[in-house]
Amino acid sequence: MTGFQRLLTAGYRVFFLAAGLFAVFAMIVWEGWLGIHAAGGMVSDMPFAMAPHIWHAHELIFGYAAAAIAGFLMTAAPSWVGSEAARTRFFALASGVWLAGRLAVWFSGSLPAGLVMALDLSFLPVIGAKVAVLLLKRPKPRQMVFLVVLAVFFTANLMVHLEWAGLTADTAYGGLRAGLVTLSALIMVLGGRVTPAFTRNAMLRTGRETGLPRDPLPLAVAAIAAALALPVLTMAGLDGPVFAGVAMIAGLSGLARLTGWRGVWTLNQPILWSLHLGYAMNAAGLIALGLAALGLGSEIAALHLLGIGAVGGMTLAVMSRAALGHSGRPLVAPGPLALAYALLPLAAVARSAASEWPALYYPGVLTAGGLWALAFTLYLAELWPLFTGPRMDAGKETK
């Protein structure tokens, strides 16, 4: 079996590789355009129809993150219901649909807006339908919530395309914002499950039986319910004190949960502390977003704490852990991968500083983009053999 054929045998292989490659490509395009303008030049012709900063935001939310979500769901969902993984034909189709969406948006300057919309919006229904078929075999509310999240995420992207097609007047920004806070809500749900669970498992493997992670139900309910409400509030156009209050509840409850997960114990295990760090960045980003809604700080800075630190950090942590476990490798992050984990929070801080202090805009944004691209280049360099090579027997945990 060739590397390309093996790539299409598992969701984590094809989608986690696609996500990593696209993360680097999309950032290089944005950095290149911005760097030319920072140097006093001008780029007036791009193949896409929308403004470069809008393309940048859309593709990292609905391009990169959508691939990461698909890889996770198509890897985890079969194990949830005791089913076999999807066939190679499905992965070929689904990855082709994802790529068609990326190409359609890239060449949107010369394509009909309706065609761009149809191609880009097709991916999530393909993944959602497959996940629904699997989950309906053994319906559990705990897992069915992912279908709700996919539906909200799809609706947010639809809002963007409706404005691009000229069918609505002012829904694109709201759709982008709703898409990002939907990803934040997903981190509250998924990160809130795996972070304490994996930490507990690791502690038990060392023989420790006391001082294990705790996750009080009231805090979990408050954090998740508030986070899930944010995309709905965004799409409804509700801002100001209401949005601020809900965002603050989500973020503060998330931080309170985190204090009981024994993060200090994980400091010598990057494969674990990366999960804690991604979750912490998510909570901090939500608090910053709530404060910005009250006029305290920059909303753009808060959104980048979420986009880079939370979404980027948590997806990198989950993708790499899943790739190691499902390919049969030990759950130990190599040095370059651990460095990648650390670079993304630095990128988030640099990008947020660029929005808070206009004098730092160009150096801050360019630094953040460079750190992002370096982090995902390290990820690709370390894990490429896992995506295209045969499974090994070392390591047995595949969660």
Side-chain angles (χ1 to χ4, degrees):
M1 182 181 290
T2 66
F4 179 76
Q5 290 173 324
R6 193 174 287 114
L7 191 64
L8 298 174
T9 61
Y12 79 88
R13 292 179 184 269
V14 62
F15 288 120
F16 288 170
L17 178 58
L21 289 170
F22 193 68
V24 175
F25 167 77
M27 192 57 69
I28 288 175
V29 171
W30 170 239
E31 289 278 283
W33 183 88
L34 196 67
I36 291 172
H37 284 258
M42 179 69 69
V43 180
S44 57
D45 293 324
M46 296 296 285
F48 39 81
M50 61 293 301
H53 71 285
I54 299 296
W55 175 87
H56 160 74
H58 180 271
E59 290 304 273
L60 288 177
I61 294 171
F62 298 108
Y64 162 75
I69 291 172
F72 168 76
L73 289 176
M74 296 314 304
T75 302
S79 65
W80 292 339
V81 299
S83 175
E84 293 183 358
R87 297 179 181 274
T88 299
R89 290 194 302 272
F90 174 80
F91 290 124
L93 169 65
S95 58
V97 171
W98 176 84
L99 181 59
R102 309 286 55 78
L103 291 172
V105 174
W106 177 256
F107 291 111
S108 56
S110 56
L111 293 174
L115 177 61
V116 175
M117 180 192 300
L119 290 174
D120 187 40
L121 292 177
S122 297
F123 178 62
L124 288 178
V126 169
I127 297 299
K130 188 66 174 180
V131 173
V133 169
L134 289 171
L135 295 185
L136 288 175
K137 292 180 179 179
R138 297 180 183 177
K140 296 180 181 178
R142 179 180 173 84
Q143 313 301 3
M144 299 297 282
V145 67
F146 291 109
L147 294 178
V148 176
V149 172
L150 283 180
V152 174
F153 196 51
F154 172 87
T155 303
N157 196 14
L158 175 62
M159 290 175 62
V160 177
H161 280 283
L162 287 175
E163 181 176 336
W164 288 353
L167 300 176
T168 57
D170 187 21
T171 58
Y173 178 73
L176 292 172
R177 194 167 176 258
L180 183 56
V181 293
T182 301
L183 295 173
S184 174
L186 183 59
I187 291 172
M188 277 295 186
V189 175
L190 179 61
R193 293 183 190 179
V194 302
T195 305
F198 289 161
T199 303
R200 173 185 291 271
N201 292 344
M203 296 176 80
L204 290 173
R205 283 196 294 270
T206 67
R208 181 164 178 167
E209 297 180 356
T210 60
L212 299 175
R214 297 175 292 102
D215 190 23
L217 183 60
L219 284 177
V221 171
I224 292 171
L228 288 173
L230 288 176
V232 179
L233 293 176
T234 300
M235 289 188 286
L238 295 177
D239 209 335
V242 173
F243 183 91
V246 175
M248 294 286 285
I249 290 171
L252 291 172
S253 300
L255 282 183
R257 292 178 78 190
L258 192 63
T259 61
W261 293 350
R262 308 301 183 227
V264 174
W265 185 87
T266 71
L267 291 181
N268 64 342
Q269 300 183 60
I271 202 72
L272 287 175
W273 63 246
S274 58
L275 296 169
H276 289 257
L277 186 56
Y279 191 91
M281 293 296 295
N282 191 51
L286 289 173
I287 293 171
L289 190 60
L291 291 173
L294 296 176
L296 303 173
S298 164
E299 181 182 75
I300 298 300
L303 292 174
H304 280 89
L305 281 178
L306 289 175
I308 301 173
V311 176
M314 186 60 85
T315 52
L316 186 68
V318 171
M319 290 191 301
S320 55
R321 182 187 180 95
L324 288 166
H326 284 272
S327 64
R329 271 73 170 181
L331 287 174
V332 177
L337 190 56
L339 175 60
Y341 296 154
L343 291 177
L344 288 179
L346 296 177
V349 171
R351 181 59 185 86
S352 296
S355 292
E356 293 286 1
W357 295 285
L360 298 178
Y361 180 75
Y362 280 122
V365 176
L366 291 172
T367 297
L371 292 174
W372 170 284
L374 177 57
F376 280 95
T377 298
L378 292 170
Y379 160 84
L380 290 169
E382 282 298 315
L383 300 187
W384 193 288
L386 281 64
F387 299 136
T388 60
R391 176 183 165 83
M392 297 180 66
D393 293 332
K396 296 181 180 179
E397 183 177 350
T398 58
K399 291 183 180 179

